[in-house]
Amino acid sequence: MSLSVVIVGGLHADARRAAVAQLLADVPGSVVLHHDLATAAAGTVVRTIRDAAGLVSAGETPLVNDCACCALREDLVPELRRLADAGGTRLAVVELWDSVEPKAMAEVVVAGGLTVTGVITAVDPALVLPCLGNGDDLAEGGLAAAATDQRTVADTFARQLEYAPVLAVTDGEEADDEDRELLEQLHPTARRVVIGHGDLAGAALAGFDVEAAAAAQHPACALLPAEADAHGVSTFVWHRSRPFHPERLYAALEDLTCAAARSRGRFWLADKPDTLLHWDAAGGALCVESVGPWLAALPDAAWDMVPPVRRAAAALDWHAEHGDCCQHLVFTSPGLDRHGLEHLLEACLLTDAEYAAGRDAWKRLPPAFDALLEV
């Protein structure tokens, strides 16, 4: 019997535990592995293995480089291999600790030669907006995975939610139509399974492509949400083929970041015309980073080294004059002021005169983003 591995994560611990319990009940020969990082301050991570009947084993693994997540990585694959070699286990459910993100763990498991058949994030719809609005550091809530962990609740939750192709959703009375619509618009391509009422086992064994999942999150080719407006929640997609003026955009960052519960995408600065920049905002905080050159900035010979999915994404945005360089930003939130947001974004673009001055002039504009990009 070959071992299948499903990863179940999410900051909503009650929903996550309910999803795991359903998998144990529904899949004969399944076990759940869980590494509790709450004990990391004492220098160890506690590992438990359970089946439907209860605790099978428990043990401790020391921290690696003072990092609880590193210890998890070092311990997880050997434990899964031991289960695979012993036989008799059909499904290993890896229940991630609260703030551990599924992308890194899925890639570790696959790199270890094991088969991940599903990645599931468990979600309580009533908690989606509170989590997205929570700009607190994980450390403030005892959720940091390492002493150097600088993530926030909001950005961690957003990545957990958007990476998983399957969402296990609670069916509580606390959630209303707006909560459910916000979840739908944040991850419209996800398969939703209601915990206790849907085929979660089927989702766990459906198959998972770690490379495709990574590509779907990469700023250059991310599958971003489309326009939507329902139950008081809107998704506004803004796409332009003219660069931002760095100073005007920088001056507008606070208003743009706070305009929506979640915003993401890729953008183009006039003073860095060859650089693809990533926009990632949640919880009132914005992260911007360079993710390398636009394809239009690469020599033709380098295109063969670019993944096909990246070339396909670039083709959709291709402009006769400047290739794939563009603005593609998506804002999702209840009560979104679409018109105000569009007006603010448009005001940050180069004017006709600035645009006509050409790239050499653009590069001489004040480099307002150098501090954020640590240039």
Side-chain angles (χ1 to χ4, degrees):
M1 179 188 297
S2 62
L3 178 69
S4 296
V5 179
V6 61
I7 294 171
V8 181
L11 278 169
H12 301 167
D14 289 344
R16 190 184 69 237
R17 294 181 189 118
V20 168
Q22 182 177 338
L23 287 171
L24 284 180
D26 291 351
V27 183
S30 60
V31 301
V32 55
L33 286 79
H34 179 62
H35 289 77
D36 190 339
L37 274 56
T39 58
T44 61
V45 171
V46 175
R47 178 215 320 118
T48 56
I49 299 178
R50 296 179 288 113
D51 61 17
L55 186 67
V56 174
S57 68
E60 293 185 350
T61 184
L63 296 192
V64 176
N65 301 322
D66 292 323
C67 170
C69 264
C70 301
L72 192 166
R73 291 188 188 98
E74 293 287 326
D75 190 66
L76 178 59
V77 170
E79 283 298 311
L80 289 171
R81 283 180 174 158
R82 185 184 60 77
L83 285 170
D85 292 342
T89 301
R90 179 187 178 195
L91 178 68
V93 181
V94 177
E95 182 193 350
L96 301 180
W97 189 70
D98 297 18
S99 69
V100 178
E101 296 182 27
K103 180 177 186 293
M105 293 303 109
E107 290 172 353
V108 164
V109 173
V110 170
L114 294 149
T115 301
V116 174
T117 57
V119 174
I120 299 170
T121 293
V123 184
D124 181 342
L127 299 179
V128 171
L129 187 58
C131 277
L132 277 184
N134 189 341
D136 292 346
D137 291 339
L138 291 173
E140 294 179 37
L143 296 171
T148 56
D149 194 341
Q150 297 182 329
R151 295 174 298 156
T152 68
V153 173
D155 64 43
T156 300
F157 173 72
R159 284 189 295 270
Q160 290 178 335
L161 177 71
E162 292 157 10
Y163 179 77
V166 177
L167 301 179
V169 182
T170 60
D171 190 24
E173 295 179 356
E174 297 82 2
D176 58 20
D177 288 342
E178 180 181 284
D179 296 324
R180 287 183 281 270
E181 181 64 26
L182 177 59
L183 182 60
E184 170 73 29
Q185 292 187 29
L186 287 168
H187 195 352
T189 62
R191 175 181 176 183
R192 285 162 188 74
V193 180
V194 177
I195 299 170
H197 301 284
D199 183 15
L200 199 57
L205 296 165
F208 180 76
D209 185 332
V210 70
E211 292 185 3
Q217 300 304 308
H218 191 281
C221 46
L223 189 61
L224 298 172
E227 286 271 347
D229 190 2
H231 299 293
V233 181
S234 295
T235 293
F236 171 60
V237 178
W238 188 73
H239 199 286
R240 296 291 184 273
S241 55
R242 180 176 292 202
F244 280 125
H245 187 287
E247 284 188 315
R248 291 200 292 274
L249 179 62
Y250 189 84
L253 285 183
E254 184 175 354
D255 288 340
L256 290 171
T257 300
C258 296
R262 177 75 172 128
S263 57
R264 48 190 150 147
R266 51 190 177 270
F267 68 105
W268 185 27
L269 282 179
D271 64 315
K272 297 172 174 53
D274 294 331
T275 303
L276 193 161
L277 296 164
H278 182 206
W279 177 288
D280 188 52
L286 170 68
C287 174
V288 297
E289 62 178 342
S290 166
V291 287
W294 296 98
L295 285 196
L298 294 176
D300 291 346
W303 280 50
D304 289 339
M305 295 181 285
V306 175
V309 66
R310 170 79 190 274
R311 296 198 298 271
L316 293 174
D317 287 334
W318 203 260
H319 185 279
E321 185 178 350
H322 34 248
D324 59 328
C325 304
C326 70
Q327 320 291 359
H328 188 173
L329 298 175
V330 177
F331 299 80
T332 299
S333 189
L336 193 70
D337 179 5
R338 287 168 169 263
H339 296 298
L341 189 51
E342 183 173 19
H343 177 76
L344 184 57
L345 288 164
E346 298 287 346
C348 294
L349 293 173
L350 294 186
T351 64
D352 289 346
E354 289 165 343
Y355 181 75
R359 286 190 170 228
D360 288 342
W362 303 351
K363 291 178 182 180
R364 293 193 294 270
L365 291 170
F369 277 76
D370 281 5
L372 278 180
L373 295 169
E374 297 180 347
V375 173

